[in-house]
Amino acid sequence: MATKSPDAQSLLTPAEVAALFRVDPKTVTRWAKAGKLTSIRTLGGHRRYPEDEVRQLLAGIPQQRS
Amino acid sequence: MATKSPDAQSLLTPAEVAALFRVDPKTVTRWAKAGKLTSIRTLGGHRRYPEDEVRQLLAGIPQQRS
DNA sequence: CAGGAATAGGGTAATTTGGGAC
DNA sequence: TTTGTCCAAATTACCCTATTCC
């Protein structure tokens, strides 16, 4: 194939996010359920998390909190 | 160098769809087999996926709550 | 036609989901 | 209030070879 979209890797797996935050994948799932993390689901039901959002959270940027 | 049209991206290859969903190309094939994705087959048996459908799935999956 | 890269297919291991409880 | 771990089931990832695509 020739047409390669510039946007390739922008989603992270639960294990990736969990490793980044040093928590269990289960905890990441809870964050997604609580609406603290934007989650995109695969057709099989697994979640994928935007890398941009995770990076912001990792950097300590409060989203909208007093 | 493959001949690519400037604005004729109607079908995506398994690798493209896999990159968009951050999954394995094999997984995309399973989605097609399961009927979750509309698949167009080439004469040789390779699958091709409509970009419109893929993008809609990426952005508009019915959000499932616990 | 030849060649490199990608894809299909099957099978097995690893990960993820979901809920409830401590 | 939040996090980690238990369970069972489903989904996904990686291994291989042959075929197809450009």
Side-chain angles (χ1 to χ4, degrees), chain A residues 1-5 7-9 11 40-44 48, chain B residues 2 4 9 13 16 19-23 31 36 57 61 64:
Chain A
M1 69 219 52
T3 309
K4 193 55 184 281
S5 302
D7 52 280
Q9 185 179 8
L11 296 175
I40 298 193
R41 321 268 296 204
T42 64
L43 299 188
R48 295 279 118 96
Chain B
K4 62 163 58 174
Q9 288 185 346
T13 63
E16 289 286 324
L20 257 32
F21 276 96
R22 192 53 177 108
V23 293
W31 293 346
K36 298 176 181 176
L57 257 24
I61 295 182
Q64 173 180 338

Coordinates of all heavy atoms in Angstrom, one line a residue, chain A residues 1-5 7-9 11 40-44 48, chain B residues 2 4 9 13 16 19-23 31 36 57 61 64:
Chain A
M1 N 0.8 -1.2 0.0 CA 0.0 0.0 0.0 C 0.9 1.2 0.0 O 2.0 1.2 0.4 CB -0.9 0.0 1.2 CG 0.0 0.3 2.4 SD -0.6 -0.7 3.8 CE -0.6 -2.3 3.2
A2 N 0.3 2.3 -0.4 CA 1.1 3.5 -0.5 C 0.6 4.6 0.4 O 1.3 5.3 1.0 CB 1.1 4.0 -2.0
T3 N -0.7 4.7 0.4 CA -1.3 5.8 1.2 C -1.2 5.5 2.7 O -1.9 4.7 3.2 CB -2.8 5.9 0.8 OG1 -2.9 6.0 -0.6 CG2 -3.4 7.2 1.4
K4 N -0.3 6.2 3.3 CA -0.1 6.0 4.7 C -0.5 7.3 5.5 O 0.0 8.3 5.3 CB 1.4 5.7 5.0 CG 1.6 5.2 6.4 CD 0.7 4.0 6.7 CE 0.8 3.5 8.1 NZ 2.0 2.8 8.3
S5 N -1.5 7.1 6.2 CA -2.0 8.3 7.0 C -1.0 8.7 8.0 O -0.4 7.9 8.6 CB -3.4 7.9 7.6 OG -4.3 7.5 6.6
D7 N -1.6 10.0 10.8 CA -2.1 9.7 12.1 C -2.1 8.1 12.3 O -3.0 7.5 11.8 CB -3.4 10.3 12.4 CG -4.4 9.9 11.3 OD1 -4.3 10.5 10.2 OD2 -5.2 9.0 11.5
A8 N -1.1 7.6 12.9 CA -1.1 6.2 13.1 C -1.3 5.8 14.5 O -2.3 5.2 14.9 CB 0.3 5.6 12.6
Q9 N -0.4 6.1 15.4 CA -0.5 5.7 16.7 C -0.9 6.8 17.7 O -0.1 7.6 18.1 CB 0.9 5.2 17.2 CG 0.8 4.6 18.6 CD 2.2 4.1 18.9 OE1 3.1 4.3 18.2 NE2 2.3 3.4 20.1
L11 N -3.6 6.0 19.9 CA -4.3 5.2 20.9 C -3.4 4.3 21.7 O -2.5 3.7 21.2 CB -5.4 4.4 20.2 CG -6.5 5.3 19.5 CD1 -7.5 4.4 18.8 CD2 -7.2 6.2 20.5
I40 N -12.1 4.9 23.9 CA -12.7 4.5 22.6 C -12.7 2.9 22.6 O -11.7 2.3 23.0 CB -11.8 5.0 21.5 CG1 -11.9 6.5 21.5 CG2 -12.3 4.5 20.1 CD1 -11.3 7.2 20.3
R41 N -13.8 2.4 22.2 CA -13.9 0.9 22.2 C -13.7 0.3 20.9 O -14.1 0.8 19.8 CB -15.4 0.6 22.7 CG -15.9 1.5 23.8 CD -15.6 0.9 25.1 NE -16.3 -0.3 25.4 CZ -16.6 -0.8 26.6 NH1 -16.3 0.0 27.6 NH2 -17.2 -1.9 26.7
T42 N -13.0 -0.8 20.9 CA -12.9 -1.6 19.7 C -14.2 -2.3 19.4 O -15.1 -2.3 20.2 CB -11.7 -2.6 19.8 OG1 -12.1 -3.6 20.8 CG2 -10.5 -2.0 20.2
L43 N -14.3 -2.9 18.3 CA -15.5 -3.6 17.9 C -15.7 -4.8 18.8 O -16.8 -5.4 18.9 CB -15.5 -4.1 16.5 CG -15.4 -2.9 15.5 CD1 -15.5 -3.4 14.0 CD2 -16.4 -1.9 15.8
G44 N -14.7 -5.3 19.5 CA -14.8 -6.4 20.4 C -15.1 -6.0 21.8 O -15.3 -6.8 22.7
R48 N -9.6 1.6 24.2 CA -8.3 2.3 23.7 C -8.4 3.7 24.2 O -9.4 4.4 24.1 CB -8.2 2.2 22.2 CG -8.1 0.8 21.6 CD -6.7 0.3 21.7 NE -6.7 -0.9 22.5 CZ -6.7 -2.1 22.1 NH1 -6.8 -2.4 20.8 NH2 -6.7 -3.1 22.9
Chain B
A2 N 3.5 2.8 -5.4 CA 2.2 2.4 -5.9 C 1.5 3.6 -6.5 O 1.6 4.7 -6.0 CB 1.4 1.7 -4.8
K4 N -1.2 6.0 -6.6 CA -2.3 6.4 -5.7 C -3.0 7.6 -6.2 O -2.4 8.5 -6.7 CB -1.7 6.7 -4.3 CG -0.8 7.9 -4.4 CD -0.5 8.5 -3.0 CE 0.1 7.5 -2.1 NZ 0.4 8.1 -0.8
Q9 N -9.8 7.9 -1.8 CA -9.7 6.9 -0.7 C -11.0 6.4 -0.2 O -11.6 6.9 0.7 CB -8.9 7.5 0.4 CG -7.5 7.7 0.1 CD -6.7 8.2 1.3 OE1 -7.3 8.7 2.3 NE2 -5.4 8.2 1.3
T13 N -7.0 -0.6 3.5 CA -6.4 -2.0 3.7 C -6.5 -2.4 5.1 O -6.6 -1.5 6.0 CB -5.0 -1.9 3.2 OG1 -4.2 -1.1 4.0 CG2 -4.9 -1.5 1.8
E16 N -4.3 -0.4 7.4 CA -4.8 0.9 7.7 C -5.8 0.9 8.8 O -5.8 1.7 9.7 CB -5.4 1.5 6.4 CG -4.4 1.9 5.3 CD -3.7 3.1 5.7 OE1 -4.3 4.0 6.3 OE2 -2.5 3.2 5.4
A19 N -4.3 0.1 12.1 CA -3.5 1.3 12.7 C -4.5 2.3 13.3 O -4.2 2.8 14.3 CB -2.7 1.9 11.6
L20 N -5.6 2.5 12.6 CA -6.6 3.4 13.2 C -7.2 2.9 14.5 O -7.4 3.7 15.4 CB -7.8 3.5 12.1 CG -7.8 4.8 11.3 CD1 -6.4 5.3 11.0 CD2 -8.5 4.5 10.0
F21 N -7.4 1.6 14.6 CA -8.0 1.1 15.9 C -6.9 0.7 16.9 O -7.2 0.2 18.0 CB -8.9 -0.1 15.6 CG -10.3 0.3 15.1 CD1 -10.6 0.4 13.8 CD2 -11.2 0.6 16.1 CE1 -11.9 0.8 13.4 CE2 -12.5 1.0 15.7 CZ -12.8 1.1 14.4
R22 N -5.7 0.8 16.4 CA -4.6 0.3 17.3 C -4.7 -1.2 17.7 O -4.6 -1.6 18.8 CB -4.6 1.2 18.6 CG -3.3 1.0 19.5 CD -2.1 1.2 18.7 NE -0.9 1.2 19.6 CZ -0.1 0.1 19.6 NH1 -0.3 -0.9 18.8 NH2 0.9 0.1 20.4
V23 N -5.0 -2.0 16.6 CA -5.2 -3.4 16.9 C -4.4 -4.1 15.8 O -3.7 -3.5 14.9 CB -6.6 -3.9 16.8 CG1 -7.5 -3.3 17.9 CG2 -7.2 -3.5 15.4
W31 N -13.1 -9.2 12.7 CA -14.3 -8.3 12.7 C -15.1 -8.5 11.4 O -16.3 -8.6 11.5 CB -13.9 -6.8 12.9 CG -13.3 -6.5 14.2 CD1 -13.3 -7.3 15.3 CD2 -12.6 -5.3 14.6 NE1 -12.6 -6.7 16.3 CE2 -12.2 -5.5 15.9 CE3 -12.2 -4.2 13.9 CZ2 -11.5 -4.5 16.6 CZ3 -11.5 -3.2 14.5 CH2 -11.1 -3.4 15.9
K36 N -19.0 -7.7 11.8 CA -19.0 -6.4 12.5 C -18.5 -5.3 11.5 O -18.7 -4.1 11.8 CB -18.2 -6.4 13.7 CG -18.7 -7.4 14.8 CD -17.7 -7.5 15.9 CE -18.2 -8.5 16.9 NZ -17.2 -8.6 18.1
L57 N -17.2 4.1 12.8 CA -17.1 3.2 13.9 C -16.1 3.8 14.9 O -16.3 3.6 16.1 CB -16.5 1.9 13.4 CG -17.5 0.7 13.3 CD1 -18.9 1.3 13.2 CD2 -17.2 -0.2 12.2
I61 N -19.1 4.7 18.1 CA -19.6 3.5 18.7 C -20.5 3.7 19.8 O -20.2 4.5 20.7 CB -18.3 2.7 19.2 CG1 -17.5 2.3 18.0 CG2 -18.8 1.4 19.9 CD1 -16.3 1.5 18.4
Q64 N -21.1 2.1 25.7 CA -21.7 1.1 26.5 C -21.4 1.4 28.0 O -20.3 1.7 28.4 CB -21.1 -0.3 26.2 CG -21.5 -1.3 27.1 CD -20.9 -2.6 26.7 OE1 -20.6 -2.8 25.5 NE2 -20.8 -3.6 27.6

